[in-house]
PDB file of all heavy atoms in Angstrom:
ATOM      1  N   LEU A 106      29.094 -74.296  19.707  1.00  0.00           N
ATOM      2  CA  LEU A 106      29.072 -75.523  20.203  1.00  0.00           C
ATOM      3  C   LEU A 106      30.499 -75.856  20.866  1.00  0.00           C
ATOM      4  O   LEU A 106      30.510 -76.364  21.862  1.00  0.00           O
ATOM      5  CB  LEU A 106      28.694 -76.500  19.071  1.00  0.00           C
ATOM      6  CG  LEU A 106      28.747 -77.952  19.454  1.00  0.00           C
ATOM      7  CD1 LEU A 106      27.445 -78.445  20.048  1.00  0.00           C
ATOM      8  CD2 LEU A 106      28.960 -78.833  18.152  1.00  0.00           C
ATOM      9  N   LYS A 107      31.461 -75.572  20.048  1.00  0.00           N
ATOM     10  CA  LYS A 107      32.803 -75.992  20.526  1.00  0.00           C
ATOM     11  C   LYS A 107      33.292 -75.188  21.688  1.00  0.00           C
ATOM     12  O   LYS A 107      33.970 -75.696  22.531  1.00  0.00           O
ATOM     13  CB  LYS A 107      33.767 -75.823  19.351  1.00  0.00           C
ATOM     14  CG  LYS A 107      33.599 -76.810  18.198  1.00  0.00           C
ATOM     15  CD  LYS A 107      34.549 -76.552  17.099  1.00  0.00           C
ATOM     16  CE  LYS A 107      34.431 -77.481  15.919  1.00  0.00           C
ATOM     17  NZ  LYS A 107      35.333 -77.282  14.826  1.00  0.00           N
ATOM     18  N   SER A 108      32.881 -73.875  21.790  1.00  0.00           N
ATOM     19  CA  SER A 108      33.477 -72.978  22.896  1.00  0.00           C
ATOM     20  C   SER A 108      32.624 -73.012  24.139  1.00  0.00           C
ATOM     21  O   SER A 108      33.235 -72.801  25.229  1.00  0.00           O
ATOM     22  CB  SER A 108      33.564 -71.604  22.367  1.00  0.00           C
ATOM     23  OG  SER A 108      32.249 -70.982  22.086  1.00  0.00           O
ATOM     24  N   LYS A 109      31.372 -73.395  24.038  1.00  0.00           N
ATOM     25  CA  LYS A 109      30.508 -73.372  25.154  1.00  0.00           C
ATOM     26  C   LYS A 109      29.860 -74.697  25.587  1.00  0.00           C
ATOM     27  O   LYS A 109      29.489 -74.810  26.753  1.00  0.00           O
ATOM     28  CB  LYS A 109      29.429 -72.335  24.964  1.00  0.00           C
ATOM     29  CG  LYS A 109      29.810 -70.847  24.845  1.00  0.00           C
ATOM     30  CD  LYS A 109      28.757 -69.924  24.828  1.00  0.00           C
ATOM     31  CE  LYS A 109      29.216 -68.478  24.762  1.00  0.00           C
ATOM     32  NZ  LYS A 109      28.068 -67.496  24.785  1.00  0.00           N
ATOM     33  N   VAL A 110      29.679 -75.541  24.634  1.00  0.00           N
ATOM     34  CA  VAL A 110      28.907 -76.763  24.995  1.00  0.00           C
ATOM     35  C   VAL A 110      29.867 -78.001  25.170  1.00  0.00           C
ATOM     36  O   VAL A 110      29.739 -78.815  26.094  1.00  0.00           O
ATOM     37  CB  VAL A 110      27.800 -77.125  23.879  1.00  0.00           C
ATOM     38  CG1 VAL A 110      27.026 -78.215  24.258  1.00  0.00           C
ATOM     39  CG2 VAL A 110      26.867 -75.776  23.802  1.00  0.00           C
ATOM     40  N   LEU A 111      30.767 -78.113  24.092  1.00  0.00           N
ATOM     41  CA  LEU A 111      31.656 -79.330  24.125  1.00  0.00           C
ATOM     42  C   LEU A 111      33.179 -78.883  24.482  1.00  0.00           C
ATOM     43  O   LEU A 111      34.149 -79.635  24.108  1.00  0.00           O
ATOM     44  CB  LEU A 111      31.518 -79.951  22.740  1.00  0.00           C
ATOM     45  CG  LEU A 111      30.288 -80.610  22.325  1.00  0.00           C
ATOM     46  CD1 LEU A 111      30.392 -81.235  20.992  1.00  0.00           C
ATOM     47  CD2 LEU A 111      29.710 -81.576  23.397  1.00  0.00           C
ATOM     48  N   ASN A 112      33.361 -77.748  25.083  1.00  0.00           N
ATOM     49  CA  ASN A 112      34.685 -77.256  25.334  1.00  0.00           C
ATOM     50  C   ASN A 112      35.464 -78.202  26.295  1.00  0.00           C
ATOM     51  O   ASN A 112      36.676 -78.472  26.027  1.00  0.00           O
ATOM     52  CB  ASN A 112      34.661 -75.793  25.965  1.00  0.00           C
ATOM     53  CG  ASN A 112      33.700 -75.772  27.127  1.00  0.00           C
ATOM     54  OD1 ASN A 112      32.661 -76.258  27.201  1.00  0.00           O
ATOM     55  ND2 ASN A 112      34.175 -75.056  28.184  1.00  0.00           N
ATOM     56  N   GLU A 113      34.696 -78.747  27.241  1.00  0.00           N
ATOM     57  CA  GLU A 113      35.574 -79.683  28.223  1.00  0.00           C
ATOM     58  C   GLU A 113      35.907 -80.918  27.522  1.00  0.00           C
ATOM     59  O   GLU A 113      37.017 -81.386  27.698  1.00  0.00           O
ATOM     60  CB  GLU A 113      34.635 -79.913  29.422  1.00  0.00           C
ATOM     61  CG  GLU A 113      34.344 -78.747  30.326  1.00  0.00           C
ATOM     62  CD  GLU A 113      33.666 -79.185  31.553  1.00  0.00           C
ATOM     63  OE1 GLU A 113      33.304 -80.397  31.726  1.00  0.00           O
ATOM     64  OE2 GLU A 113      33.196 -78.264  32.399  1.00  0.00           O
ATOM     65  N   LEU A 114      35.051 -81.468  26.676  1.00  0.00           N
ATOM     66  CA  LEU A 114      35.288 -82.777  25.857  1.00  0.00           C
ATOM     67  C   LEU A 114      36.495 -82.475  25.029  1.00  0.00           C
ATOM     68  O   LEU A 114      37.425 -83.308  24.951  1.00  0.00           O
ATOM     69  CB  LEU A 114      34.030 -83.087  25.159  1.00  0.00           C
ATOM     70  CG  LEU A 114      34.284 -84.283  24.178  1.00  0.00           C
ATOM     71  CD1 LEU A 114      34.554 -85.556  24.959  1.00  0.00           C
ATOM     72  CD2 LEU A 114      32.962 -84.493  23.301  1.00  0.00           C
ATOM     73  N   LEU A 115      36.367 -81.357  24.253  1.00  0.00           N
ATOM     74  CA  LEU A 115      37.573 -81.124  23.222  1.00  0.00           C
ATOM     75  C   LEU A 115      38.852 -80.821  23.943  1.00  0.00           C
ATOM     76  O   LEU A 115      39.822 -81.237  23.387  1.00  0.00           O
ATOM     77  CB  LEU A 115      36.989 -79.912  22.369  1.00  0.00           C
ATOM     78  CG  LEU A 115      35.866 -80.166  21.522  1.00  0.00           C
ATOM     79  CD1 LEU A 115      35.517 -78.868  20.824  1.00  0.00           C
ATOM     80  CD2 LEU A 115      36.082 -81.315  20.504  1.00  0.00           C
ATOM     81  N   GLU A 116      38.796 -80.193  25.040  1.00  0.00           N
ATOM     82  CA  GLU A 116      40.126 -79.965  25.798  1.00  0.00           C
ATOM     83  C   GLU A 116      40.696 -81.287  26.293  1.00  0.00           C
ATOM     84  O   GLU A 116      41.909 -81.501  26.213  1.00  0.00           O
ATOM     85  CB  GLU A 116      39.880 -79.087  27.009  1.00  0.00           C
ATOM     86  CG  GLU A 116      39.545 -77.640  26.595  1.00  0.00           C
ATOM     87  CD  GLU A 116      39.217 -76.780  27.759  1.00  0.00           C
ATOM     88  OE1 GLU A 116      39.163 -77.268  28.885  1.00  0.00           O
ATOM     89  OE2 GLU A 116      38.860 -75.493  27.613  1.00  0.00           O
ATOM     90  N   LYS A 117      39.802 -82.168  26.709  1.00  0.00           N
ATOM     91  CA  LYS A 117      40.222 -83.465  27.174  1.00  0.00           C
ATOM     92  C   LYS A 117      40.843 -84.295  25.964  1.00  0.00           C
ATOM     93  O   LYS A 117      41.782 -84.964  26.158  1.00  0.00           O
ATOM     94  CB  LYS A 117      39.044 -84.253  27.764  1.00  0.00           C
ATOM     95  CG  LYS A 117      39.388 -85.606  28.208  1.00  0.00           C
ATOM     96  CD  LYS A 117      38.100 -86.275  28.914  1.00  0.00           C
ATOM     97  CE  LYS A 117      38.538 -87.622  29.508  1.00  0.00           C
ATOM     98  NZ  LYS A 117      37.315 -88.285  30.055  1.00  0.00           N
ATOM     99  N   ARG A 118      40.165 -84.268  24.899  1.00  0.00           N
ATOM    100  CA  ARG A 118      40.659 -84.952  23.641  1.00  0.00           C
ATOM    101  C   ARG A 118      42.033 -84.469  23.231  1.00  0.00           C
ATOM    102  O   ARG A 118      42.885 -85.228  22.815  1.00  0.00           O
ATOM    103  CB  ARG A 118      39.628 -84.889  22.551  1.00  0.00           C
ATOM    104  CG  ARG A 118      38.480 -85.746  22.756  1.00  0.00           C
ATOM    105  CD  ARG A 118      37.554 -85.713  21.465  1.00  0.00           C
ATOM    106  NE  ARG A 118      36.370 -86.615  21.672  1.00  0.00           N
ATOM    107  CZ  ARG A 118      35.408 -86.679  20.839  1.00  0.00           C
ATOM    108  NH1 ARG A 118      35.372 -85.958  19.640  1.00  0.00           N
ATOM    109  NH2 ARG A 118      34.486 -87.528  20.961  1.00  0.00           N
ATOM    110  N   ASN A 119      42.167 -83.014  23.311  1.00  0.00           N
ATOM    111  CA  ASN A 119      43.362 -82.392  22.865  1.00  0.00           C
ATOM    112  C   ASN A 119      44.477 -82.869  23.739  1.00  0.00           C
ATOM    113  O   ASN A 119      45.653 -83.223  23.349  1.00  0.00           O
ATOM    114  CB  ASN A 119      43.298 -80.953  22.832  1.00  0.00           C
ATOM    115  CG  ASN A 119      42.443 -80.379  21.766  1.00  0.00           C
ATOM    116  OD1 ASN A 119      42.381 -81.028  20.642  1.00  0.00           O
ATOM    117  ND2 ASN A 119      41.896 -79.175  21.853  1.00  0.00           N
ATOM    118  N   ALA A 120      44.227 -82.958  25.111  1.00  0.00           N
ATOM    119  CA  ALA A 120      45.219 -83.406  26.011  1.00  0.00           C
ATOM    120  C   ALA A 120      45.607 -84.786  25.891  1.00  0.00           C
ATOM    121  O   ALA A 120      46.842 -85.222  26.112  1.00  0.00           O
ATOM    122  CB  ALA A 120      44.667 -83.247  27.497  1.00  0.00           C
ATOM    123  N   GLN A 121      44.741 -85.573  25.202  1.00  0.00           N
ATOM    124  CA  GLN A 121      45.024 -87.065  25.023  1.00  0.00           C
ATOM    125  C   GLN A 121      45.578 -87.328  23.665  1.00  0.00           C
ATOM    126  O   GLN A 121      45.732 -88.418  23.183  1.00  0.00           O
ATOM    127  CB  GLN A 121      43.756 -87.832  25.296  1.00  0.00           C
ATOM    128  CG  GLN A 121      43.366 -87.832  26.699  1.00  0.00           C
ATOM    129  CD  GLN A 121      42.004 -88.595  26.862  1.00  0.00           C
ATOM    130  OE1 GLN A 121      41.192 -88.841  25.987  1.00  0.00           O
ATOM    131  NE2 GLN A 121      41.670 -88.883  28.159  1.00  0.00           N
ATOM    132  N   GLY A 122      45.679 -86.172  22.840  1.00  0.00           N
ATOM    133  CA  GLY A 122      46.165 -86.288  21.422  1.00  0.00           C
ATOM    134  C   GLY A 122      45.153 -86.846  20.412  1.00  0.00           C
ATOM    135  O   GLY A 122      45.523 -87.219  19.362  1.00  0.00           O
ATOM    136  N   MET A 123      43.926 -86.737  20.812  1.00  0.00           N
ATOM    137  CA  MET A 123      42.845 -87.213  19.905  1.00  0.00           C
ATOM    138  C   MET A 123      42.304 -85.998  19.112  1.00  0.00           C
ATOM    139  O   MET A 123      41.070 -85.692  19.084  1.00  0.00           O
ATOM    140  CB  MET A 123      41.630 -87.756  20.710  1.00  0.00           C
ATOM    141  CG  MET A 123      42.192 -88.974  21.576  1.00  0.00           C
ATOM    142  SD  MET A 123      40.967 -89.454  22.804  1.00  0.00           S
ATOM    143  CE  MET A 123      39.527 -89.960  21.785  1.00  0.00           C
ATOM    144  N   VAL A 124      43.157 -85.290  18.361  1.00  0.00           N
ATOM    145  CA  VAL A 124      42.818 -84.048  17.747  1.00  0.00           C
ATOM    146  C   VAL A 124      41.945 -84.281  16.492  1.00  0.00           C
ATOM    147  O   VAL A 124      41.067 -83.536  16.227  1.00  0.00           O
ATOM    148  CB  VAL A 124      44.088 -83.309  17.322  1.00  0.00           C
ATOM    149  CG1 VAL A 124      43.745 -82.040  16.565  1.00  0.00           C
ATOM    150  CG2 VAL A 124      45.000 -83.010  18.532  1.00  0.00           C
ATOM    151  N   GLY A 125      42.178 -85.346  15.718  1.00  0.00           N
ATOM    152  CA  GLY A 125      41.428 -85.504  14.461  1.00  0.00           C
ATOM    153  C   GLY A 125      40.087 -86.211  14.721  1.00  0.00           C
ATOM    154  O   GLY A 125      39.340 -86.387  13.691  1.00  0.00           O
ATOM    155  N   ARG A 126      39.747 -86.617  15.890  1.00  0.00           N
ATOM    156  CA  ARG A 126      38.501 -87.335  15.986  1.00  0.00           C
ATOM    157  C   ARG A 126      37.226 -86.380  15.785  1.00  0.00           C
ATOM    158  O   ARG A 126      37.177 -85.356  16.380  1.00  0.00           O
ATOM    159  CB  ARG A 126      38.425 -87.916  17.406  1.00  0.00           C
ATOM    160  CG  ARG A 126      37.177 -88.711  17.691  1.00  0.00           C
ATOM    161  CD  ARG A 126      37.239 -89.382  19.032  1.00  0.00           C
ATOM    162  NE  ARG A 126      36.095 -90.197  19.302  1.00  0.00           N
ATOM    163  CZ  ARG A 126      35.919 -90.996  20.451  1.00  0.00           C
ATOM    164  NH1 ARG A 126      36.830 -90.874  21.347  1.00  0.00           N
ATOM    165  NH2 ARG A 126      34.695 -91.568  20.621  1.00  0.00           N
ATOM    166  N   PRO A 127      36.320 -86.800  14.872  1.00  0.00           N
ATOM    167  CA  PRO A 127      35.153 -85.903  14.649  1.00  0.00           C
ATOM    168  C   PRO A 127      34.199 -85.819  15.817  1.00  0.00           C
ATOM    169  O   PRO A 127      34.077 -86.734  16.650  1.00  0.00           O
ATOM    170  CB  PRO A 127      34.577 -86.595  13.375  1.00  0.00           C
ATOM    171  CG  PRO A 127      34.939 -88.064  13.588  1.00  0.00           C
ATOM    172  CD  PRO A 127      36.247 -88.067  14.124  1.00  0.00           C
ATOM    173  N   ILE A 128      33.590 -84.755  15.841  1.00  0.00           N
ATOM    174  CA  ILE A 128      32.588 -84.496  16.793  1.00  0.00           C
ATOM    175  C   ILE A 128      31.234 -85.162  16.246  1.00  0.00           C
ATOM    176  O   ILE A 128      30.937 -85.007  15.071  1.00  0.00           O
ATOM    177  CB  ILE A 128      32.201 -83.056  17.061  1.00  0.00           C
ATOM    178  CG1 ILE A 128      33.361 -82.378  17.563  1.00  0.00           C
ATOM    179  CG2 ILE A 128      30.921 -82.779  17.891  1.00  0.00           C
ATOM    180  CD1 ILE A 128      33.281 -80.847  17.621  1.00  0.00           C
ATOM    181  N   ARG A 129      30.613 -85.994  17.147  1.00  0.00           N
ATOM    182  CA  ARG A 129      29.335 -86.699  16.574  1.00  0.00           C
ATOM    183  C   ARG A 129      28.239 -86.167  17.399  1.00  0.00           C
ATOM    184  O   ARG A 129      28.230 -86.194  18.591  1.00  0.00           O
ATOM    185  CB  ARG A 129      29.546 -88.070  16.732  1.00  0.00           C
ATOM    186  CG  ARG A 129      30.758 -88.651  16.082  1.00  0.00           C
ATOM    187  CD  ARG A 129      30.725 -90.149  15.922  1.00  0.00           C
ATOM    188  NE  ARG A 129      29.983 -90.614  14.673  1.00  0.00           N
ATOM    189  CZ  ARG A 129      29.756 -91.890  14.394  1.00  0.00           C
ATOM    190  NH1 ARG A 129      30.145 -92.867  15.162  1.00  0.00           N
ATOM    191  NH2 ARG A 129      29.283 -92.199  13.236  1.00  0.00           N
ATOM    192  N   LEU A 130      27.161 -85.686  16.658  1.00  0.00           N
ATOM    193  CA  LEU A 130      26.041 -84.995  17.162  1.00  0.00           C
ATOM    194  C   LEU A 130      24.750 -85.729  16.874  1.00  0.00           C
ATOM    195  O   LEU A 130      24.466 -86.105  15.729  1.00  0.00           O
ATOM    196  CB  LEU A 130      25.948 -83.493  16.870  1.00  0.00           C
ATOM    197  CG  LEU A 130      27.295 -82.792  17.076  1.00  0.00           C
ATOM    198  CD1 LEU A 130      27.129 -81.388  16.310  1.00  0.00           C
ATOM    199  CD2 LEU A 130      27.320 -82.510  18.588  1.00  0.00           C
ATOM    200  N   MET A 131      23.820 -85.878  17.784  1.00  0.00           N
ATOM    201  CA  MET A 131      22.389 -86.230  17.499  1.00  0.00           C
ATOM    202  C   MET A 131      21.461 -85.113  17.352  1.00  0.00           C
ATOM    203  O   MET A 131      21.436 -84.236  18.291  1.00  0.00           O
ATOM    204  CB  MET A 131      21.966 -87.255  18.616  1.00  0.00           C
ATOM    205  CG  MET A 131      20.625 -87.813  18.391  1.00  0.00           C
ATOM    206  SD  MET A 131      19.915 -88.875  19.737  1.00  0.00           S
ATOM    207  CE  MET A 131      21.069 -90.275  19.586  1.00  0.00           C
ATOM    208  N   ILE A 132      20.756 -85.060  16.281  1.00  0.00           N
ATOM    209  CA  ILE A 132      19.823 -83.909  16.013  1.00  0.00           C
ATOM    210  C   ILE A 132      18.429 -84.415  16.354  1.00  0.00           C
ATOM    211  O   ILE A 132      17.910 -85.394  15.804  1.00  0.00           O
ATOM    212  CB  ILE A 132      19.927 -83.471  14.606  1.00  0.00           C
ATOM    213  CG1 ILE A 132      21.262 -83.282  14.165  1.00  0.00           C
ATOM    214  CG2 ILE A 132      19.207 -82.125  14.306  1.00  0.00           C
ATOM    215  CD1 ILE A 132      22.156 -82.354  14.988  1.00  0.00           C
ATOM    216  N   VAL A 133      17.782 -83.738  17.380  1.00  0.00           N
ATOM    217  CA  VAL A 133      16.528 -84.172  17.703  1.00  0.00           C
ATOM    218  C   VAL A 133      15.467 -83.095  17.646  1.00  0.00           C
ATOM    219  O   VAL A 133      15.931 -81.840  17.706  1.00  0.00           O
ATOM    220  CB  VAL A 133      16.480 -84.786  19.227  1.00  0.00           C
ATOM    221  CG1 VAL A 133      17.347 -86.044  19.168  1.00  0.00           C
ATOM    222  CG2 VAL A 133      16.929 -83.746  20.130  1.00  0.00           C
ATOM    223  N   GLY A 134      14.219 -83.363  17.703  1.00  0.00           N
ATOM    224  CA  GLY A 134      13.194 -82.383  17.699  1.00  0.00           C
ATOM    225  C   GLY A 134      11.848 -82.966  17.324  1.00  0.00           C
ATOM    226  O   GLY A 134      11.741 -83.968  16.671  1.00  0.00           O
ATOM    227  N   ILE A 135      10.786 -82.080  17.447  1.00  0.00           N
ATOM    228  CA  ILE A 135       9.383 -82.597  17.069  1.00  0.00           C
ATOM    229  C   ILE A 135       9.273 -82.557  15.539  1.00  0.00           C
ATOM    230  O   ILE A 135      10.162 -81.910  14.857  1.00  0.00           O
ATOM    231  CB  ILE A 135       8.377 -81.869  17.680  1.00  0.00           C
ATOM    232  CG1 ILE A 135       8.405 -80.361  17.213  1.00  0.00           C
ATOM    233  CG2 ILE A 135       8.483 -81.949  19.276  1.00  0.00           C
ATOM    234  CD1 ILE A 135       7.109 -79.559  17.669  1.00  0.00           C
ATOM    235  N   PRO A 136       8.333 -83.131  14.960  1.00  0.00           N
ATOM    236  CA  PRO A 136       8.218 -83.144  13.459  1.00  0.00           C
ATOM    237  C   PRO A 136       7.975 -81.709  12.946  1.00  0.00           C
ATOM    238  O   PRO A 136       7.446 -80.731  13.572  1.00  0.00           O
ATOM    239  CB  PRO A 136       6.835 -83.933  13.269  1.00  0.00           C
ATOM    240  CG  PRO A 136       6.643 -84.780  14.435  1.00  0.00           C
ATOM    241  CD  PRO A 136       7.158 -83.991  15.632  1.00  0.00           C
ATOM    242  N   ASN A 137       8.535 -81.549  11.691  1.00  0.00           N
ATOM    243  CA  ASN A 137       8.328 -80.227  10.925  1.00  0.00           C
ATOM    244  C   ASN A 137       9.048 -79.012  11.545  1.00  0.00           C
ATOM    245  O   ASN A 137       8.689 -77.851  11.438  1.00  0.00           O
ATOM    246  CB  ASN A 137       6.875 -79.927  10.739  1.00  0.00           C
ATOM    247  CG  ASN A 137       6.661 -79.062   9.592  1.00  0.00           C
ATOM    248  OD1 ASN A 137       7.406 -79.149   8.567  1.00  0.00           O
ATOM    249  ND2 ASN A 137       5.578 -78.209   9.572  1.00  0.00           N
ATOM    250  N   VAL A 138       9.961 -79.321  12.572  1.00  0.00           N
ATOM    251  CA  VAL A 138      10.684 -78.174  13.212  1.00  0.00           C
ATOM    252  C   VAL A 138      11.931 -77.762  12.479  1.00  0.00           C
ATOM    253  O   VAL A 138      12.464 -76.569  12.791  1.00  0.00           O
ATOM    254  CB  VAL A 138      11.035 -78.638  14.656  1.00  0.00           C
ATOM    255  CG1 VAL A 138      12.326 -79.516  14.656  1.00  0.00           C
ATOM    256  CG2 VAL A 138      11.268 -77.299  15.520  1.00  0.00           C
ATOM    257  N   GLY A 139      12.423 -78.432  11.516  1.00  0.00           N
ATOM    258  CA  GLY A 139      13.602 -78.006  10.744  1.00  0.00           C
ATOM    259  C   GLY A 139      14.798 -78.674  10.869  1.00  0.00           C
ATOM    260  O   GLY A 139      15.935 -78.223  10.479  1.00  0.00           O
ATOM    261  N   LYS A 140      14.767 -79.975  11.426  1.00  0.00           N
ATOM    262  CA  LYS A 140      15.977 -80.723  11.575  1.00  0.00           C
ATOM    263  C   LYS A 140      16.683 -80.993  10.212  1.00  0.00           C
ATOM    264  O   LYS A 140      17.900 -80.731  10.081  1.00  0.00           O
ATOM    265  CB  LYS A 140      15.618 -82.052  12.245  1.00  0.00           C
ATOM    266  CG  LYS A 140      15.114 -81.875  13.646  1.00  0.00           C
ATOM    267  CD  LYS A 140      14.782 -83.221  14.315  1.00  0.00           C
ATOM    268  CE  LYS A 140      13.933 -84.124  13.496  1.00  0.00           C
ATOM    269  NZ  LYS A 140      12.472 -83.531  13.338  1.00  0.00           N
ATOM    270  N   SER A 141      15.973 -81.520   9.255  1.00  0.00           N
ATOM    271  CA  SER A 141      16.694 -81.871   7.937  1.00  0.00           C
ATOM    272  C   SER A 141      17.156 -80.516   7.265  1.00  0.00           C
ATOM    273  O   SER A 141      18.217 -80.561   6.682  1.00  0.00           O
ATOM    274  CB  SER A 141      15.724 -82.577   7.140  1.00  0.00           C
ATOM    275  OG  SER A 141      15.386 -83.754   7.670  1.00  0.00           O
ATOM    276  N   SER A 142      16.412 -79.419   7.381  1.00  0.00           N
ATOM    277  CA  SER A 142      16.796 -78.188   6.855  1.00  0.00           C
ATOM    278  C   SER A 142      18.125 -77.746   7.409  1.00  0.00           C
ATOM    279  O   SER A 142      18.954 -77.183   6.707  1.00  0.00           O
ATOM    280  CB  SER A 142      15.790 -77.091   6.921  1.00  0.00           C
ATOM    281  OG  SER A 142      14.569 -77.471   6.220  1.00  0.00           O
ATOM    282  N   PHE A 143      18.254 -77.822   8.673  1.00  0.00           N
ATOM    283  CA  PHE A 143      19.471 -77.483   9.447  1.00  0.00           C
ATOM    284  C   PHE A 143      20.681 -78.341   8.943  1.00  0.00           C
ATOM    285  O   PHE A 143      21.788 -77.815   8.693  1.00  0.00           O
ATOM    286  CB  PHE A 143      19.290 -77.609  10.925  1.00  0.00           C
ATOM    287  CG  PHE A 143      20.602 -77.497  11.708  1.00  0.00           C
ATOM    288  CD1 PHE A 143      21.238 -76.280  11.688  1.00  0.00           C
ATOM    289  CD2 PHE A 143      21.063 -78.534  12.358  1.00  0.00           C
ATOM    290  CE1 PHE A 143      22.375 -76.097  12.461  1.00  0.00           C
ATOM    291  CE2 PHE A 143      22.287 -78.456  13.129  1.00  0.00           C
ATOM    292  CZ  PHE A 143      22.894 -77.198  13.110  1.00  0.00           C
TER     293      PHE A 143
END
Side-chain angles (χ1 to χ4, degrees):
L106 177 82
K107 291 179 178 180
S108 64
K109 294 186 177 181
V110 182
L111 296 181
N112 53 318
E113 292 184 8
L114 173 68
L115 295 178
E116 287 174 2
K117 182 178 179 181
R118 286 183 177 178
N119 287 337
Q121 296 175 342
M123 302 167 63
V124 179
R126 183 172 177 176
I128 298 169
R129 307 193 87 184
L130 306 167
M131 181 182 291
I132 312 301
V133 298
I135 67 171
N137 206 33
V138 79
K140 297 182 301 298
S141 296
S142 294
F143 170 65

